[in-house]
Amino acid sequence: MSPKLCKAGKQLREQFDDSFPDRDRTSDGWVADARHVAGGKSDHIPSADSATVRAIDVDRDVSGKAKPDLMPDIANQIRLCAKAGDKRISYVIFNGRIASSRMGWRWRKYSGSNPHKHHCHISFTTKGDTDGSFFNIPMLGGTI
């Protein structure tokens, strides 16, 4: 069975593309590479039952060569979207920090092997497998 990205992942990636059409995609990704597979635990690894991938990585440089660095604010808005009740988002990792429901969606130090300084990692719950509705994230077209 070929891997497929969950509907929530497709939707969020589309919102990034629509909001920042000229963004750098060098660090983008969704399906596990050999390093992820060797580690054995990653939302980039397709699920055994449906081959669904429940994570995306989005390159930090959404502004292209013209700065400012907007990803810190975007990552925070994704975190706030989840905190406000979007049950499709499982956790967010960016710039050495992670946020999830486990700690009330507060940022805390991330101690994994990749600090995610070049991209933002967003993982999704199984609810995101079938729910591809719009994410209400201001910097990605939302209105909160």
Side-chain angles (χ1 to χ4, degrees), residues 113-130:
S113 62
N114 181 343
H116 297 78
K117 291 184 182 248
H118 300 287
H119 65 272
C120 181
H121 170 97
I122 304 101
S123 278
F124 303 95
T125 65
T126 55
K127 183 172 171 51
D129 291 359
T130 57

Side-chain angles (χ1 to χ4, degrees), residues 3-13 30 43 51-56 88 122-132 135:
K4 63 182 178 188
L5 181 57
C6 67
K7 289 186 178 182
K10 288 180 184 178
Q11 175 60 40
L12 189 58
R13 184 178 59 189
W30 61 278
D43 289 332
T52 302
V53 173
R54 297 186 179 103
I56 61 171
R88 296 172 293 170
I122 304 101
S123 278
F124 303 95
T125 65
T126 55
K127 183 172 171 51
D129 291 359
T130 57
D131 185 350
F135 285 92

